[in-house]
């Protein structure tokens, strides 16, 4: 009696692999896995299902998929690559997630829900020939598809010899025409050239601590942050934020790669050596295009001269930039730095701990700021940061009495304002405070002052976009939020939330969904917005799904109570939000 052999069939096989997976995992393992999972859930798996595909197996950074037809496989690959390109549009190139895809039509062996054989091997080799973000197909796929698919064309790459395949393979590159239905406004121009600021731009890398004392690490970090802040005061200079450049702290760097990652013209690097009452700061400015030193200097001073050192560094850098950038008003006398260097060091250390965003570091930052204010009760910047750190406890609910903490933040800001009216952080926090009180006029005044004092501070810039949205000017808000993302390519996830809200208010619902979908850990407020957005688009299934998530997290949720926490100035914007939430089926 004959024993039946393994099942064989003709199959359309798609092989995909992520580009630079190991590099991204080394830089940010948790974030990379979270973003990959998000792309799988929101984009890749639904595209495969929609085009009648079946995932055979996955690896950490790749997958093998079988389709009913080659047309389905090509359509699925085209959709994934187009949508991934849009998702990468507002992300630093160093954080792009791109896939190579290969598609083949060939004979496969089926065994235990897996497939093997020549058809699979050729698909894997085609994937290796594809460019990042690209698709390569075999001649058999090209012959089957022909000219039947809109917005898809094929470029003949000729016969290619590939590893472990004896015969040459006829390879075609898939060329994806623009998809006008899916592209946002302005995308046509963006496709021609990526938006690049006309301003001279600079990334300040963390100054290396050469003191040999790990406890002095905060001094080097704090001095770096102060230089970034001082440079940010110049309107004609685009400065990458500290949150982005500090990603490279403690790592060997290639200046050209850093410049390419952040899209800047210049890179500043250097070191700090502090011993007792003296400090030596060495800095060098490098032209990223030529990799040549434009300017270098060493400052060997008494510690009390640290403010003069900062001024000299910032002015020297600006003087070397193209066009002899004319600096905005930079009067240190008005900013009243402290004469007490121990207090200054406490504030530097507190800033470093604040940026870590943990409850324990927040408590330590408060202790350091209390110490600074005990040493110098009139130190305005210490009062400002005390308000900022207390505000962090209020936002994250790390306090027993939220109302009392809110009032304490307000009191610290009033003290600061009386001591120094020229601190951008004071006005930034006062704008947020008054917005929470629904005092839009005061919020706008303080936001304008913060922006005038520090126009390149990403937190101030994104808050400008957020405020404009509350004021009923979401189109302008979108532009400001995107500018903040350019200033800080490693911006906090909440920037996407601000962008999603602005797009919703501008009735750009597809773009709102795209923005909110970037949140790796959405809370019930994000699900509420997604529910409202899908409802406005008529997608009742998705709206209901997100409404369910809202009620799962907040069983007592009601539209009326929720809207009471929103700060719209105009009734029409509040009504639009309310209408979406009610359409999604959330309880009134």
């Amino acid at each position: 009696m004959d024993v039946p052999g393994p099942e064989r069939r003709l199959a359309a096989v798609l092989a995909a692999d992520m580009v630079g997976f190991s590099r991204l995992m080394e830089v940010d393992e948790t974030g990379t896995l979270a973003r990959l999972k998000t792309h799988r859930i929101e984009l890749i798996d639904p595209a495969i299902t929609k085009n009648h595909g079946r995932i055979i197996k996955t690896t950490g950074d790749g997958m093998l998929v079988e389709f009913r037809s080659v047309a389905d496989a090509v359509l699925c690959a085209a959709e994934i690559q187009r949508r991934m390109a849009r998702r990468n549009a507002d992300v630093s190139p160093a954080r792009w997630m791109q896939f190579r895809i290969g598609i083949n039509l060939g004979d496969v062996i089926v065994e235990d829900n897996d497939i093997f054989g020549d058809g699979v091997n050729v698909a894997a080799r085609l994937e290796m020939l594809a460019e990042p973000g690209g698709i390569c197909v075999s001649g058999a796929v090209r012959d089957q598809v022909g000219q039947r698919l809109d917005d898809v064309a094929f470029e003949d790459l000729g016969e290619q010899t590939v590893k472990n395949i004896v015969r040459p393979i006829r390879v075609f590159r898939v060329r994806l025409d623009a998809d006008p239905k899916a592209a946002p406004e302005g995308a046509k121009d963006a496709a021609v050239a990526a938006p690049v600021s006309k301003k001279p731009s600079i990334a300040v890398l963390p100054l290396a601590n050469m003191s040999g004392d790990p406890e002095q690490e905060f001094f080097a970090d704090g001095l770096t942050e102060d230089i970034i802040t001082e440079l940010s005061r110049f309107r004609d200079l685009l400065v990458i934020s500290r949150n982005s450049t500090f990603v490279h702290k403690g790592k060997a760097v290639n200046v050209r790669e850093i410049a390419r990652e952040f899209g800047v013209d210049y890179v500043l690097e250097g070191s700090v050596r502090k011993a007792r009452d003296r400090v030596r700061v060495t800095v060098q400015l490098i032209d990223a295009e030529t990799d040549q030193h434009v300017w270098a200097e060493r400052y060997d001073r008494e510690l009390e001269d640290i403010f003069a050192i900062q001024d000299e560094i910032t002015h020297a850098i600006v003087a070397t930039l193209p066009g002899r950038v004319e600096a905005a008003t930079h009067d240190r006398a008005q900013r009243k730095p402290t004469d007490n260097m121990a207090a200054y060091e406490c504030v530097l250390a507190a800033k470093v701990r604040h940026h870590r965003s943990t409850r324990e570091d927040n408590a330590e930052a408060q202790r350091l700021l209390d110490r600074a204010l005990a040493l110098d009760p009139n130190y305005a910047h210490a009062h400002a940061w005390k308000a900022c750190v207390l505000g962090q406890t209020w936002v994250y609910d790390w306090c027993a009495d939220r109302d009392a903490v809110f009032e304490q933040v307000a009191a610290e800001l009033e003290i600061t304002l009386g001591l120094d009216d020229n601190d951008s952080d004071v006005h930034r926090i006062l704008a947020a405070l008054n917005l929470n009180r629904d005092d839009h006029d005061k919020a706008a005044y303080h936001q304008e002052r913060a922006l005038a004092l520090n126009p390149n501070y990403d937190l101030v810039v994104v808050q400008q976009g957020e405020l404009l949205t509350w004021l009923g000017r979401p189109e302008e808000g979108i532009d400001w939020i995107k500018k903040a993302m350019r200033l800080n390519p490693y911006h906090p996830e909440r920037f996407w939330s601000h962008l999603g809200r602005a797009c919703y208010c501008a009735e750009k619902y597809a773009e709102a969904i795209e923005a909110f979908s970037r949140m790796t850990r959405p809370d019930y407020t994000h699900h509420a917005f997604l529910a409202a957005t899908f409802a406005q688009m008529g997608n009742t299934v998705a709206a209901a799904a997100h409404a369910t998530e809202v009620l799962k997290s907040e069983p007592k949720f009601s539209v009326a109570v929720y809207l009471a926490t929103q700060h719209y100035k105009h009734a029409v914007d509040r009504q639009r939000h309310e209408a979406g939430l009610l359409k999604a089926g959330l309880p009134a």
Side-chain angles (χ1 to χ4, degrees), residues 146-168:
Q147 306 296 324
R148 292 186 289 126
L149 302 181
D150 295 334
D151 302 323
V152 173
F154 297 92
E155 178 184 345
D156 191 348
L157 300 182
E159 292 189 337
Q160 303 285 329
T161 302
V162 297
K163 183 179 178 181
N164 294 336
I165 304 290
V166 176
R167 68 188 187 282

Side-chain angles (χ1 to χ4, degrees), residues 356-558:
R356 293 173 183 167
S357 296
T358 70
R359 188 168 192 158
E360 294 72 23
D361 283 308
N362 178 281
E364 178 62 13
Q366 288 188 56
R367 189 191 67 78
L368 286 162
L369 289 164
D370 287 339
R371 172 66 176 156
L373 291 169
L375 291 165
D376 186 351
N378 294 320
Y379 190 2
H381 200 60
H383 281 289
W385 273 90
K386 179 71 181 293
C388 189
V389 171
L390 285 170
Q392 188 180 56
T393 70
W394 187 84
V395 169
Y396 287 102
D397 201 17
W398 292 335
C399 49
D401 189 339
R402 285 172 58 82
D403 291 338
V405 170
F406 191 87
E407 291 307 315
Q408 193 179 356
V409 170
E412 288 291 341
L413 290 171
E414 288 301 320
I415 293 170
T416 312
L417 208 56
L419 293 168
D420 183 1
D421 191 41
N422 293 287
D423 191 316
S424 62
D425 276 316
V426 178
H427 292 284
R428 172 178 66 85
I429 302 164
L430 275 169
L433 183 97
N434 282 289
L435 187 62
N436 274 282
R437 292 171 170 167
D438 287 324
D439 191 335
H440 295 93
D441 292 339
K442 276 190 179 180
Y445 166 78
H446 288 294
Q447 177 61 28
E448 184 176 320
R449 289 282 288 126
L451 201 59
L453 288 163
N454 208 333
N456 280 321
Y457 189 2
D458 60 320
L459 297 183
V460 171
V461 173
V462 79
Q463 187 167 280
Q464 175 74 359
E466 185 186 9
L467 179 61
L468 286 168
T469 301
W470 291 121
L471 295 177
R473 295 154 61 188
E475 296 279 0
E476 296 172 67
I478 290 169
D479 291 337
W480 281 97
I481 295 165
K482 288 184 175 179
K483 180 182 178 183
M485 291 175 167
R486 163 75 178 100
L487 288 171
N488 183 2
Y490 293 94
H491 58 78
E493 275 198 350
R494 64 182 176 82
F495 283 27
W496 290 114
S497 178
H498 298 324
L499 182 60
R501 179 190 297 276
C503 289
Y504 181 93
C505 290
E507 298 184 348
K508 295 184 175 182
Y509 297 125
E511 292 180 46
I513 289 171
E514 183 76 8
F516 280 115
S517 296
R518 301 292 189 99
M519 308 292 293
T520 57
R521 296 177 183 86
D523 61 24
Y524 80 94
T525 65
H526 304 130
H527 283 296
F529 252 110
L530 282 164
T533 308
F534 278 115
Q536 296 283 25
M537 296 178 72
N539 188 335
T540 56
V541 174
H546 285 286
T548 299
E549 290 296 323
V550 173
L551 296 174
K552 189 186 297 181
S553 300
E554 289 290 318
K556 295 181 180 179
F557 179 93
S558 79

